[in-house]
Amino acid sequence: MPRNFLDLSDAGGDAIAAMINDAMDRKAARADRPKGAADNDAPLAGRVLAMIFEKNSTRTRVSFDMAMRQLGGSAIVMESGTTQLGRGESLADTARVLSRMVDAIMIRTDDHGKVEEMARHATVPVINGLTDRSHPCQIVADLLTIVEHGKPLPGLEVAWVGDGNNVLSSILEAAGLMKFNVRAGTPEGYEPEPEFVQMARAGGANVTLTHDAVEAVKGADVVVTDTWVSMGQEHAVGKLAAMAPFQVNDALMSHAKPDAMFLHCLPAHIGDEVTESVFESAQSAVFDEAENRIHGQKSVLLWCFGAI
Ligand code: CP
Ligand code: NVA
């Protein structure tokens, strides 16, 4: 059975801890190399990743491609609109064809069921590059960023402010696996998915749900937000007004710990979910986080290939 990475629980807490360590080691070992040069051991030499995009992407697309290059392999980008998938060829047939041609498949799409369908029919690892349900690869990079900034995960207070979306769902899943706490401040009607809240609590994480942004951020070690309008929700009426009190600004950050870190998976909408002053502040680690998509993804790929 191939190792699929559809959500963080597919790997589990021990493997995620090992991924973070491996990512830090590999990142340090290649600090002075050209970005496209392979790591010394080139552990995925000759391996090819196919990437299917049914939604836009900058970071996921480039970081998976660079991750494969740095591991000694290569990647093929398939924009679904220019493939037969885009003309109605089934996911099942696409999965079986790609499994004969490449060594792993990454897919970014809307319905999480499509990723599961792909995994059911593929005989090579399938990786979730974001769905409406979750964004596990992003959270590997986020955890890596938090740990490399000297904040151990167990017991950490992570505040989420804004929309209870796919990224928050993966943070909650991570909380149960890595034993940190989440304080989610969202407007009414935009709370996190109950399934993921339960998952976090079942794993031993404290989860606080509030409709008060200040309460969410009070005493936090890390403050995280994301766009108020995720891909596919462009016509959400009235949402921006509901979100306005959940903007991460200097006043809100002042309630977090003085050394609290600010994270955002990007793309950011300055003046909406975050002010320029917070985004550009010394507390903001958003570009370390973006770079870490490469290093995190290398670990995800190595785990899928059984090398972590
Ligand atoms: N954070 C993230 O997944 O970015 P992209 O949409 O650019 O891939
Ligand atoms: N929640 C956002 C994340 C983008 C990387 C979205 O799904 O559009």
Side-chain angles (χ1 to χ4, degrees), residues 73-102:
S74 60
I76 297 170
V77 175
M78 301 168 65
E79 303 285 359
S80 80
T82 60
T83 64
Q84 298 293 5
L85 193 58
R87 292 183 58 247
E89 187 171 12
S90 72
L91 279 161
D93 286 357
T94 305
R96 289 183 289 177
V97 169
L98 289 177
S99 295
R100 301 287 187 104
M101 293 185 169
V102 301

Side-chain angles (χ1 to χ4, degrees), residues 108 130 135 165-167 226-227 230-231 265-266:
R108 166 172 286 200
L130 179 146
H135 196 3
N165 66 12
N166 48 359
V167 175
D226 186 13
T227 180
S230 285
M231 289 181 278
C265 66
L266 307 182

Side-chain angles (χ1 to χ4, degrees), residues 53 56-61 108 129-130 135 138 231 265-267 293:
F53 286 99
N56 294 55
S57 170
T58 297
R59 281 144 288 269
T60 302
R61 171 182 176 143
R108 166 172 286 200
L130 179 146
H135 196 3
Q138 178 67 50
M231 289 181 278
C265 66
L266 307 182
R293 293 297 304 280

Side-chain angles (χ1 to χ4, degrees), residues 237-307:
V237 177
K239 194 171 180 186
L240 296 191
M243 291 289 160
F246 294 83
Q247 183 189 64
V248 182
N249 50 35
D250 292 321
L252 189 63
M253 282 302 284
S254 74
H255 295 281
K257 287 198 180 138
D259 67 343
M261 165 190 275
F262 172 73
L263 294 179
H264 188 313
C265 66
L266 307 182
H269 306 80
I270 303 294
D272 284 348
E273 73 269 11
V274 62
T275 57
E276 185 172 9
S277 56
V278 171
F279 190 80
E280 301 293 348
S281 71
Q283 284 171 271
S284 171
V286 297
F287 295 106
D288 290 340
E289 182 185 8
E291 178 191 335
N292 278 339
R293 293 297 304 280
I294 296 182
H295 307 293
Q297 247 109 253
K298 286 166 77 176
S299 288
V300 169
L301 288 159
L302 288 172
W303 178 80
C304 286
F305 283 103

Side-chain angles (χ1 to χ4, degrees), residues 75-237:
I76 297 170
V77 175
M78 301 168 65
E79 303 285 359
S80 80
T82 60
T83 64
Q84 298 293 5
L85 193 58
R87 292 183 58 247
E89 187 171 12
S90 72
L91 279 161
D93 286 357
T94 305
R96 289 183 289 177
V97 169
L98 289 177
S99 295
R100 301 287 187 104
M101 293 185 169
V102 301
D103 300 292
I105 302 166
M106 195 271 335
I107 174 166
R108 166 172 286 200
T109 186
D110 42 17
D111 178 6
H112 193 79
K114 291 189 190 175
V115 180
E116 293 173 331
E117 169 86 350
M118 179 70 80
R120 260 194 303 280
H121 295 279
T123 55
V124 299
V126 173
I127 298 170
N128 171 6
L130 179 146
T131 63
D132 291 346
R133 171 186 160 89
S134 57
H135 196 3
C137 294
Q138 178 67 50
I139 303 315
V140 174
D142 289 10
L143 300 181
L144 169 58
T145 309
I146 292 168
V147 171
E148 76 176 0
H149 279 72
K151 297 181 191 293
L153 296 176
L156 201 74
E157 297 292 331
V158 176
W160 175 276
V161 198
D163 188 20
N165 66 12
N166 48 359
V167 175
L168 174 56
S169 290
S170 289
I171 288 179
L172 286 164
E173 187 164 8
L177 296 171
M178 311 311 287
K179 316 301 176 201
F180 60 86
N181 304 319
V182 178
R183 306 148 68 102
T186 65
E188 278 187 71
Y190 299 98
E191 291 87 357
E193 283 298 322
E195 178 194 345
F196 284 93
V197 174
Q198 266 175 6
M199 222 187 273
R201 287 180 174 153
N206 293 329
V207 180
T208 307
L209 303 181
T210 173
H211 297 129
D212 179 345
V214 171
E215 190 191 338
V217 164
K218 210 170 271 173
D221 297 290
V222 182
V223 177
V224 195
T225 192
D226 186 13
T227 180
W228 288 340
V229 181
S230 285
M231 289 181 278
Q233 301 178 338
E234 281 78 6
H235 306 294
V237 177

